[in-house]
Amino acid sequence: MKNYRIAIFAVLLPLTGIAGAQEKIFSINDLVYEGASRIPVSTYGESRMGFANGTFLIDSARNSLFVIGHSQHMAIAEFAIEGFSRSENLAELPMVRNVQPFSRILDRVPSENVDSINTITGMHKIDGGIWVNAAQFYDGNADNTDTSFFLEDLNNLGTSEIDGYFKLEPKVKSAGWVTEIPTPLQESLGGDLIFGFASNLPINGRNSMGPSAFSVSKENLLNSKSGDVIETNELLSFSIDNQLHPDHYNKSLSNDLWTEVSSAYTGFIVPGTNTYAVFGNSGGHESGIGYKITQDDGRLCGGACPYISSDIYNHYWLWDVEDFVKVKQGLVAPYDVRPYEYGTLELPFEIQAAFTKPRVMIAAYYDYENQDLYFMLGEADSLQNQYESAPILLKYSIETGRRPSAPSGISVE
């Protein structure tokens, strides 16, 4: 694990709804780097990993990576993981091996794609199949309601039957990652799965303007039929009127929390702790953000971007699950909850001589069974093809309690 900068701590509130076994909190220092693996950029079937969407899941039982390839294709493939290495030499990292070629899946959903869904945003293994969340990348009217479908057989990606579309109750606000809720917290939070997302896509009016969390019953998912609305419990969510930080373009240069270019790719409750951990990337905290500006390196942005092109970084946000219980009980609004710790996170291979700015994650996945966290570092491998860089897969384990708690319960930068 390389160095990181913790931005802030907030007061740890007394617990009122969570068992004592959950009172421990997670810190970013509890992440342990286990190594990296390369992904071939070659074409397999209907896609390749160049310009990847990158949404993925890890099936540790079969030691496999299921991943979405090129952003224009939205095709899924399976790769066998051959291991991870802590070597700092990119050429020495092991390469995953293709097992099932890329197969396009959006055009195989049986119900008519009335919402023009074209972007896969999250995947999770359920009962031998894959639950898939997806959205229209640019929903100008912010009126899409379809969010999800289910690929029944992960052993046959190219021929598996698909069910859907389904409609998550909060729409795109919840249609990103899917993670398991530890058993001791399921009753308090009202479900056994967390569905979450953030303002990763255009059209802020439909987005959660900060990371979200909604509890969902897995049984409800499996019993749903095409067109059904799936009920959720709101635990953490933001909007245009109630943003995580009001200065989204950081005109004040004092916003180090969440900006117009922030994204989140996974959020999960760390087992045995009272922490909901969210990982993604952010930018514009140092230089501010403009819209369709020319950056310092001469690049003309198509939308919002930092004034300084290198003002981007991998980022994390940690939340107290006790606050979620209070939201569930109606004691706190879901947009009034704030993280107790957040900051930049330096990842291996994010800084390379071949690139003028840091590489940032484009996807992440939490393996609940093994408590391992994976990041897909975008366009970080240029050794295979200098014109079409491939992502790198990073693996971290979690060891809670590595950093002593502050005696007062309060820490500051």
Side-chain angles (χ1 to χ4, degrees):
M1 182 69 194
K2 292 190 176 181
N3 294 328
Y4 60 89
R5 174 172 61 86
I6 293 177
I8 192 170
F9 277 96
V11 179
L12 299 181
L13 300 174
L15 300 175
T16 60
I18 297 177
Q22 298 293 140
E23 294 182 7
K24 185 188 300 181
I25 65 168
F26 167 87
S27 171
I28 199 64
N29 200 39
D30 295 331
L31 283 183
V32 180
Y33 178 56
E34 299 292 345
S37 185
R38 299 172 71 191
I39 304 173
V41 76
S42 304
T43 297
Y44 299 97
E46 298 183 274
S47 192
R48 59 190 187 276
M49 285 302 293
F51 305 102
N53 164 282
T55 301
F56 71 100
L57 70 83
I58 299 293
D59 186 343
S60 54
R62 56 201 285 157
N63 207 29
S64 287
L65 162 72
F66 290 86
V67 63
I68 303 300
H70 196 292
S71 295
Q72 293 182 352
H73 304 155
M74 291 298 145
I76 185 172
E78 179 186 6
F79 291 86
I81 299 174
E82 302 291 317
F84 292 88
S85 171
R86 291 190 182 93
S87 173
E88 297 182 359
N89 185 342
L90 186 61
E92 295 179 355
L93 301 182
M95 187 86 73
V96 300
R97 174 176 50 84
N98 184 252
V99 176
Q100 293 190 70
F102 284 103
S103 299
R104 299 183 191 233
I105 50 177
L106 290 179
D107 56 2
R108 289 163 45 199
V109 181
S111 62
E112 186 177 354
N113 188 2
V114 295
D115 282 345
S116 301
I117 302 299
N118 58 10
T119 303
I120 293 172
T121 53
M123 298 193 298
H124 188 65
K125 178 184 174 182
I126 298 178
D127 288 0
I130 301 176
W131 183 272
V132 183
N133 287 334
Q136 183 183 9
F137 180 80
Y138 194 91
D139 176 15
N141 295 322
D143 58 1
N144 288 179
T145 58
D146 290 342
T147 61
S148 314
F149 58 90
F150 186 64
L151 189 150
E152 294 187 356
D153 185 4
L154 54 74
N155 293 302
N156 296 284
L157 299 178
T159 59
S160 172
E161 292 188 9
I162 296 178
D163 299 324
Y165 283 98
F166 308 107
K167 304 172 185 292
L168 291 167
E169 192 175 29
K171 304 175 184 177
V172 75
K173 282 189 174 184
S174 60
W177 58 83
V178 183
T179 56
E180 306 280 338
I181 297 178
T183 302
L185 299 177
Q186 291 177 6
E187 183 176 355
S188 297
L189 298 180
D192 44 16
L193 295 173
I194 290 283
F195 275 59
F197 205 31
S199 50
N200 297 21
L201 302 178
I203 313 302
N204 288 340
R206 63 173 173 160
N207 291 332
S208 177
M209 302 301 288
S212 70
F214 296 82
S215 64
V216 179
S217 165
K218 186 184 299 184
E219 182 179 0
N220 285 350
L221 298 185
L222 297 177
N223 291 334
S224 295
K225 300 178 182 178
S226 178
D228 283 356
V229 176
I230 298 171
E231 294 182 357
T232 66
N233 296 296
E234 188 176 31
L235 306 174
L236 179 70
S237 180
F238 302 91
S239 67
I240 280 288
D241 296 326
N242 297 286
Q243 303 180 31
L244 178 53
H245 196 289
D247 186 7
H248 243 219
Y249 279 78
N250 197 18
K251 295 179 181 179
S252 65
L253 296 183
S254 62
N255 176 5
D256 62 354
L257 178 56
W258 187 272
T259 71
E260 183 66 25
V261 298
S262 300
S263 297
Y265 296 104
T266 191
F268 60 95
I269 298 175
V270 182
T273 78
N274 195 35
T275 296
Y276 179 63
V278 176
F279 293 87
N281 56 62
S282 194
H285 295 298
E286 303 295 334
S287 65
I289 296 168
Y291 184 73
K292 294 187 176 181
I293 60 170
T294 299
Q295 293 181 294
D296 64 319
D297 61 357
R299 175 179 174 265
L300 177 63
C301 299
C305 63
Y307 284 99
I308 296 177
S309 62
S310 60
D311 186 14
I312 57 172
Y313 11 81
N314 295 291
H315 215 274
Y316 71 95
W317 303 261
L318 307 179
W319 313 75
D320 189 343
V321 177
E322 177 64 20
D323 290 334
F324 293 6
V325 175
K326 293 177 181 178
V327 172
K328 178 72 166 49
Q329 295 172 341
L331 302 176
V332 176
Y335 49 79
D336 282 335
V337 181
R338 293 295 181 269
Y340 66 78
E341 178 181 327
Y342 61 89
T344 59
L345 175 67
E346 292 186 18
L347 297 178
F349 302 104
E350 69 172 33
I351 303 296
Q352 299 182 42
F355 306 114
T356 59
K357 58 184 180 181
R359 306 290 91 178
V360 293
M361 71 179 77
I362 57 173
Y365 187 80
Y366 174 64
D367 176 8
Y368 176 77
E369 293 182 1
N370 297 288
Q371 295 193 44
D372 290 326
L373 177 61
Y374 297 84
F375 300 129
M376 189 73 70
L377 196 64
E379 299 184 334
D381 180 359
S382 62
L383 296 183
Q384 300 179 62
N385 186 331
Q386 61 177 320
Y387 304 107
E388 190 175 21
S389 297
I392 296 172
L393 184 65
L394 307 176
K395 179 181 180 180
Y396 285 80
S397 59
I398 295 176
E399 296 182 12
T400 55
R402 292 164 58 86
R403 177 188 56 79
S405 300
S408 65
I410 303 174
S411 296
V412 295
E413 185 176 8

